[in-house]
């Protein structure tokens, strides 16, 4: 196990990013998880805490993926994948579901991102390319209505292009909405001053993160020196 | 005597006219009233404006209605599906119109339509291209955009149980848009797998009160979109 870890690239795996984000979700939170890496957060609920998962297609108290053969086409999540309902779950229609979101009843939403700007602007629904089919789903409602927005994303694109930047070039999902960012390299808090380093992944240097971020990375708590 | 049970799907959709706005329930295949959609394909009404969260998958149900050239405009939040090229191909060819609406705004526009509210303000989409050209107002130091309500000539929805008064229950997350679409349409047409006696549904558990329902057809074992797609089926 430890050998395997040592041969891996620097920084956190997708599962470790999800595990790190889960640590910051308070006990008793109502949580909405976006599609992709955010879905993994449900596997890493810290011991002694209980989260209630909301899926915007009408279920509060979403449980894990069913066993093979136990899937129900009428019981799915926002990604249209089969899920289960926990004991104590509730079903409701779409307007009630989005009242939970838009009425600020959901505590935390964890989303993926194409770009996050240093002022908390998020772009995660469209590259604005002329031949793309625009599709927004519930992303704009979530960022406008949920109290705390966490983003989990690789620090850069597959081609090494920065995703954490001074200003988004893609069409926005929402303005100034992101609170925290969990990447493979670090945890960043979005503040009124910009990106502030909260934690570095093991064996990741501050300079590496700054190099891969197209905005000033602040370190008021001297995290770089402590790690 | 009030009796909203219709004999066939064909009868139930017979008065859907060319140019009608039709709300179709479902989130993906969950709650999609596939037998009613297929009856609408057989019926052939054209130039429809369809309101649904998505644009269907494969070549059955909503995707087949679009592929059959009956839909002039889609109002939806997420028109892409992994296994459907029907809408994207027509959209890129400029042969179908799209009104893209954030999912919660779509739900609230439908709810408002059913409740007689012509417009409302929401923070959703402020500062994004989807708010361009819309009226904005500031309440308590936050910006909001005005959204107009949505109503329809017809709604096609799927229920779990229905009685002759039109009282409905749903199955799990297949409920999604159905209750609000039933409210927002002039004529609401329901397919249900269980026709029950009045009184069989506990009044405490009625999800859609019968006042919002006009016609009901019985489809005991509805087709399942994903199964049809796995078999490579098409409609008609």
């Amino acid at each position: 196990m430890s050998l395997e870890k040592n041969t891996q690239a620097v920084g956190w795996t997708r599962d470790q990013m999800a595990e790190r984000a889960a640590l910051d979700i308070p006990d008793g939170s109502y949580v909405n998880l976006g599609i992709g890496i955010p879905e993994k957060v449900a596997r890493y609920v810290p011991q002694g805490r209980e989260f209630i998962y909301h899926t915007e297609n009408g279920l509060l108290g979403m449980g894990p993926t069913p066993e093979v053969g136990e899937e129900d086409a009428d019981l799915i999540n926002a990604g249209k994948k089969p899920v289960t309902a926990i004991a104590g779950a509730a079903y409701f229609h779409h307007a009630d579901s989005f009242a939970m979101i838009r009425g600020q009843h959901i505590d935390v939403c964890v989303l993926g991102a194409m770009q996050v700007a240093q002022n908390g602007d998020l772009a995660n629904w469209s590259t604005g390319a002329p031949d793309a089919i625009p599709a927004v789903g519930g992303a704009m409602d979530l960022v406008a209505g949920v109290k705390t927005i966490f983003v989990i994303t690789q620090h850069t694109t597959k081609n090494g292009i920065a995703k954490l930047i001074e200003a988004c070039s893609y069409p926005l999902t929402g303005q100034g909405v992101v609170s925290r960012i969990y990447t493979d390299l670090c945890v960043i808090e979005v503040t009124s001053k910009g990106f502030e380093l909260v934690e570095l992944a093991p064996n990741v240097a501050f300079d590496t993160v700054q190099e891969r971020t197209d905005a000033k990375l602040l370190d008021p708590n001297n995290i770089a020196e402590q790690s | 005597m009030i009796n909203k049970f219709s004999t066939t799907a064909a009868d139930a959709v017979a008065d859907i006219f060319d140019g009608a706005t039709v709300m179709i329930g479902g989130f993906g295949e969950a709650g999609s009233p596939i037998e009613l959609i297929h009856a609408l394909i057989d019926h052939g009404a054209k130039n429809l404006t369809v309101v649904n969260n998505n644009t269907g998958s494969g070549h059955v149900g909503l995707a087949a209605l679009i592929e059959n050239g009956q839909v002039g405009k889609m109002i939806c939040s997420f028109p892409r599906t992994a296994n459907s090229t029907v809408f994207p191909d027509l959209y890129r060819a400029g042969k179908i119109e799209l009104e893209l609406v954030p999912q919660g705004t779509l739900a609230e526009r439908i709810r408002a339509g059913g409740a007689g509210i012509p417009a409302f303000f929401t923070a959703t989409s402020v500062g994004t291209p989807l708010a361009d050209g819309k009226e904005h107002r500031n309440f308590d130091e936050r910006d909001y955009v005005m959204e107009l309500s949505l109503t329809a000539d017809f709604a096609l929805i799927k229920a779990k149980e229905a009685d002759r008064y039109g009282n409905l229950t749903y199955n799990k997350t297949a409920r999604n848009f159905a209750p609000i679409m039933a409210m927002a349409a002039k004529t609401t047409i329901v397919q249900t797998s269980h026709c029950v006696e009045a009184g069989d549904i506990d009044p405490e558990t009625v999800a859609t009160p019968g006042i919002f329902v006009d016609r009901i057809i019985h489809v005991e074992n509805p087709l399942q979109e994903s199964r049809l797609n796995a078999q490579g089926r098409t409609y008609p």
Side-chain angles (χ1 to χ4, degrees):
Chain A
M1 193 67 192
S2 58
L3 261 179
E4 202 179 320
K5 261 190 180 167
N6 288 338
T7 59
Q8 277 180 352
V10 233
W12 282 313
T13 63
R14 289 159 165 250
D15 278 85
Q16 288 168 328
M17 290 154 67
E19 187 173 10
R20 180 61 190 81
L23 276 181
D24 289 342
I25 302 176
D27 184 32
S29 292
Y30 289 97
V31 179
N32 183 296
L33 300 177
I35 297 161
I37 313 179
E39 287 177 273
K40 290 175 179 281
V41 169
R43 299 185 200 165
Y44 297 105
V45 181
Q47 206 168 8
R49 291 187 214 175
E50 185 176 22
F51 304 157
I52 299 288
Y53 298 106
H54 170 266
T55 181
E56 55 265 36
N57 54 313
L59 166 61
L60 197 59
M62 179 173 66
T65 306
E67 301 290 326
V68 175
E70 298 292 309
E71 300 93 345
D72 180 341
D74 283 348
L75 183 47
I76 58 174
N77 65 11
K80 306 192 176 77
K81 300 281 191 316
V83 292
T84 51
I86 64 164
Y91 299 115
F92 34 81
H93 63 63
H94 245 80
D96 279 355
S97 187
F98 279 85
M100 292 177 195
I101 294 169
R102 294 151 64 110
Q104 301 186 317
H105 305 284
I106 306 290
D107 299 301
V108 178
C109 177
V110 188
L111 289 170
M114 293 174 180
Q115 296 178 328
V116 184
Q118 60 186 359
N119 64 354
D121 286 0
L122 173 68
N124 77 345
W125 69 285
S126 168
T127 60
D131 63 331
I133 305 293
V136 64
M140 288 185 183
D141 306 286
L142 286 161
V143 299
V146 175
K147 291 176 211 161
T148 302
I149 302 292
F150 289 165
V151 160
I152 298 187
T153 178
Q154 299 294 335
H155 205 87
T156 62
T157 68
K158 281 176 198 149
N159 301 324
I161 297 167
K163 299 177 88 170
L164 278 54
I165 53 187
E166 284 187 356
C168 294
S169 57
Y170 294 153
L172 293 187
T173 308
Q175 290 178 315
V177 294
V178 176
S179 300
R180 270 195 178 203
I181 310 162
Y182 303 83
T183 79
D184 48 329
L185 302 181
C186 64
V187 179
I188 287 173
E189 178 88 5
V190 181
T191 72
S192 55
K193 297 190 183 79
F195 291 140
E196 279 190 14
L197 188 63
V198 172
E199 189 176 331
L200 287 167
N203 305 318
V204 172
F206 178 88
D207 292 348
T208 308
V209 180
Q210 179 62 80
E211 216 167 77
R212 297 180 192 180
T213 308
D214 273 358
K216 177 97 180 123
L217 185 62
L218 307 168
D219 187 13
N221 301 312
N222 288 315
I223 306 291
E225 281 172 29
Q226 292 163 33
S227 45
Chain B
M1 183 178 109
I2 295 172
N3 182 9
K4 296 182 180 179
F5 290 123
S6 271
T7 46
T8 66
D11 285 345
V13 303
D15 60 348
I16 298 184
F17 50 88
D18 290 357
T21 295
V22 184
M23 291 179 173
I24 301 181
F27 182 87
E29 71 171 324
S32 180
I34 194 164
E35 280 74 14
L36 286 173
I37 299 170
H38 288 172
L40 181 54
I41 292 173
D42 296 343
H43 169 58
K46 287 187 179 56
N47 196 24
L48 302 171
T49 293
V50 170
V51 183
N52 180 272
N53 189 60
N54 308 101
T55 56
S57 67
H59 301 274
V60 297
L62 177 54
L65 183 72
I66 296 169
E67 194 165 31
N68 204 36
Q70 293 175 251
V71 182
K73 179 180 178 181
M74 281 300 311
I75 302 177
C76 65
S77 87
F78 207 88
R80 283 198 306 253
T81 307
N83 62 348
S84 184
T85 55
V86 169
F87 178 85
D89 288 350
L90 286 169
Y91 180 74
R92 288 200 185 95
K95 288 178 178 161
I96 192 163
E97 200 182 328
L98 169 66
E99 182 177 339
L100 187 73
V101 184
Q103 201 171 128
T105 296
L106 181 64
E108 192 61 18
R109 289 178 67 190
I110 296 167
R111 196 200 71 81
I117 296 166
F120 58 91
F121 286 90
T122 177
T124 296
S125 91
V126 167
T128 80
L130 297 189
D132 285 351
K134 292 176 181 167
E135 185 178 335
H136 285 64
R137 271 186 71 178
N138 187 286
F139 299 95
D140 289 333
E141 295 177 14
R142 190 171 185 193
D143 289 327
Y144 295 83
V145 61
M146 189 175 82
E147 296 283 358
L148 301 177
S149 67
L150 272 172
T151 55
D153 300 298
F154 298 91
L156 309 182
I157 62 170
K158 183 162 135 181
K160 180 182 176 187
E161 302 163 300
D163 67 22
R164 69 180 174 90
Y165 291 112
N167 295 310
L168 308 178
T169 67
Y170 301 95
N171 191 38
K172 308 187 179 86
T173 57
R175 180 182 313 202
N176 56 71
F177 286 91
I180 51 176
M181 287 180 168
M183 294 166 67
K186 286 192 200 94
T187 301
T188 294
I189 308 167
V190 179
Q191 68 168 74
T192 183
S193 40
H194 301 283
C195 293
V196 300
E197 295 294 325
D200 282 359
I201 305 172
D202 179 347
E204 291 282 9
T205 66
V206 169
T208 290
I211 191 169
F212 299 124
V213 169
D214 298 280
R215 299 170 199 156
I216 304 152
I217 63 152
H218 184 215
V219 180
E220 193 170 356
N221 293 304
L223 295 168
Q224 209 177 300
E225 194 172 295
S226 55
R227 278 204 199 131
L228 296 178
N229 288 335
Q231 296 162 2
R233 299 269 290 274
T234 59
Y235 197 89

